[in-house]
Amino acid sequence: MAAKFGTSGLRGLVTELSDDVVADYVSAFARACPTGSGVYVGRDLRESSDGIAAQVRRTLAGAGLDVTDCGVLPTPALALAAVQAGAAAIMVTGSHIPADRNGLKFYTPEGEITKAYETAILGALGQAFPDGTDPGPGDDSAARAYAARYVDAFGPKALAGLRIGIYQHSSVARDLMVNVVEALGGQAVPIARSDTFVPVDTEAVDADTRAMLARWCAEHTLDTVISTDGDADRPMVTDETGRIVPGDVLGALTARALGARIVCTPVSSNTLVDLMGFERVARTRIGSPYVIEAMEQAVAAEPAARVVGYEANGGFLLGFEAEGPEGRLAPLPTRDCLLPILAPLAHATEGGLAALVAALPRRFTAADRIAGVAPERSQAFIADLKTDRAARDDFFTDPGDEASLDLTDGLRVSFEGGEIVHLRPSGNAPEFRCYAEADDPDRAEALVTAYLEKLRTALA
């Protein structure tokens, strides 16, 4: 199976990401997309990332571009540094997928590549530049500037009184999170640092990990546990009981804290945001390029629009200059992990995060996935359900009668009792995701569990 290229960039097994394949895609990016003052290169902590990043740098050098190696750092830190320098960027990361896989994320000087740029890159394949000389390692200034962005905006007392567990695993932000929490007045408690890569998916946290987080909160008397996925563009946050606060709830809380008026978010995100008084909520397909496109349309219609975006996985995109407690936050229209961690916690220092969440409209989501499903098999299964109402009625037996059907991205069925089940096969990975929404958190979890089991049987 060849590596796949789509909304998450290039991804594939490490064995598929040969030097020739990497050189081909990097050359296509250099030919098809603007690169501004040069290209910044970063990487995550996977064992394979060093070698792939070295090939990225050699190819860019061969293309005659100015290359800056930013080392190991969060994806949003790399994107921020590149945008500020008027440069493009390439991040070597497989995000949350297992360690035997990796990938590339591409950025123009304006931010994440658009769908149009994806098409242009695919059209430019097959014209690889010869290798140039690797410029070698750079420095950590990009990571330090990213941390300073939030220290300056939130101030030294933003997290005062909070005892914050930091699940470090193999996140590229594991040390940065400790530094930022302490600079903002919180007490950092580092936990479970790993020397090997741990594939943490903040959108589909398994039962064992959830139990582990709750245990840590009790054992260490924590107000929260925070973490990220591997490349730190998605947050993971618990309340004081150890219960995970879903990414789309963090996004809604962050949007409100920043005074946003327009929210752009995928169709899979919790519908509670529709009940929170924002001027407009624009629903998109799943994937940051679609969220960014909706944000750009909002700004084109109203240049001063206070627009933000977020995904159900928690990655937050800031589209306007916002005010933090102590300073301003420049726009950062790429998935970010720190802002949706810090903004809710800064507003929960007295009553706790659980109380802050409990005051929101009572809509709860759950999500999980099954792996090892060939994309061709899952796509065919969804295609049948989309076109056959009787097949849907046979498959969706639990929530009641179908009230409406949304085919924006995958198959999203709303039922007469208000519950929602959303099925979506991945386009570039052997995964099949299930999302559910209900008025009770346990009910949402039960729906996901039940329908993933039905999917396993149907796809066997």
Side-chain angles (χ1 to χ4, degrees), residues 281-299:
V281 177
R283 295 287 180 165
T284 74
R285 292 184 64 185
I286 296 171
S288 55
Y290 301 109
V291 177
I292 291 169
E293 182 180 23
M295 293 172 66
E296 290 174 343
Q297 290 172 354
V299 171

Side-chain angles (χ1 to χ4, degrees), residues 23 27 54-65 67 129-136:
S27 297
Q55 181 59 55
V56 170
R57 296 191 300 267
R58 290 193 297 269
T59 301
L60 293 170
L65 297 171
V67 185
F129 292 105
D131 284 356
T133 301
D134 187 343

Side-chain angles (χ1 to χ4, degrees), residues 378-453:
S378 56
Q379 292 286 356
F381 175 77
I382 282 291
D384 287 342
L385 288 184
K386 284 181 177 180
T387 57
D388 190 337
R389 171 63 186 267
R392 293 198 302 275
D393 289 343
D394 287 342
F395 186 78
F396 295 109
T397 55
D398 185 21
D401 292 334
E402 180 180 310
S404 63
L405 182 67
D406 190 328
L407 302 180
T408 300
D409 199 339
L411 180 80
R412 185 175 177 86
V413 183
S414 296
F415 300 93
E416 290 187 353
E419 295 177 343
I420 299 171
V421 177
H422 183 173
L423 305 180
R424 180 180 180 265
S426 173
N428 63 354
E431 299 177 347
F432 202 125
R433 291 187 181 268
C434 177
Y435 310 83
E437 182 171 326
D439 291 335
D440 178 83
D442 293 334
R443 175 59 177 167
E445 294 282 357
L447 285 170
V448 168
T449 299
Y451 280 97
L452 281 180
E453 188 57 38

Side-chain angles (χ1 to χ4, degrees), residues 195-209:
D195 292 330
T196 58
F197 188 80
V198 179
V200 172
D201 185 347
T202 63
E203 193 177 5
V205 182
D206 61 82
D208 289 344
T209 300

Side-chain angles (χ1 to χ4, degrees), residues 164-171 173-174 177 189-194 198-200 205 209 212-213 216 224-228 236:
I164 299 175
I166 299 174
Y167 176 25
Q168 293 192 299
H169 61 90
S170 52
S171 165
R174 59 190 182 183
M177 285 188 288
V189 182
I191 303 172
R193 188 183 186 93
S194 175
V198 179
V200 172
V205 182
T209 300
M212 179 179 68
L213 296 170
W216 286 342
T224 181
V225 176
I226 65 173
S227 191
T228 75
M236 185 167 72

Side-chain angles (χ1 to χ4, degrees), residues 216-227:
W216 286 342
C217 281
E219 290 178 354
H220 298 284
T221 320
L222 302 174
D223 294 292
T224 181
V225 176
I226 65 173
S227 191

Side-chain angles (χ1 to χ4, degrees), residues 206-374:
D206 61 82
D208 289 344
T209 300
R210 290 173 182 269
M212 179 179 68
L213 296 170
R215 185 174 69 252
W216 286 342
C217 281
E219 290 178 354
H220 298 284
T221 320
L222 302 174
D223 294 292
T224 181
V225 176
I226 65 173
S227 191
T228 75
D229 63 340
D231 68 320
D233 66 351
R234 304 178 182 187
M236 185 167 72
V237 179
T238 78
D239 63 19
E240 57 270 32
T241 72
R243 180 185 284 271
I244 288 177
V245 180
D248 45 6
V249 176
L250 294 173
L253 287 170
T254 302
R256 185 176 68 182
L258 296 173
R261 300 310 306 158
I262 299 174
V263 175
C264 303
T265 193
V267 65
S268 59
S269 293
N270 193 316
T271 62
L272 66 81
V273 68
D274 300 293
L275 308 174
M276 290 177 61
F278 295 104
E279 288 179 6
R280 181 161 64 90
V281 177
R283 295 287 180 165
T284 74
R285 292 184 64 185
I286 296 171
S288 55
Y290 301 109
V291 177
I292 291 169
E293 182 180 23
M295 293 172 66
E296 290 174 343
Q297 290 172 354
V299 171
E302 182 186 349
R306 299 174 67 85
V307 58
V308 300
Y310 64 82
E311 295 186 273
N313 58 41
F316 194 88
L317 303 97
L318 179 61
F320 70 101
E321 187 174 63
E323 286 283 354
E326 295 288 336
R328 301 190 72 79
L329 281 165
L332 181 56
T334 189
R335 284 176 295 193
D336 184 20
C337 68
L338 276 189
L339 187 52
I341 290 173
L342 298 176
L345 288 178
H347 282 74
T349 52
E350 294 185 6
L353 194 53
L356 194 67
V357 173
L360 294 172
R362 289 191 60 80
R363 294 294 291 172
F364 300 92
T365 57
D368 205 344
R369 72 187 191 279
I370 54 175
V373 180

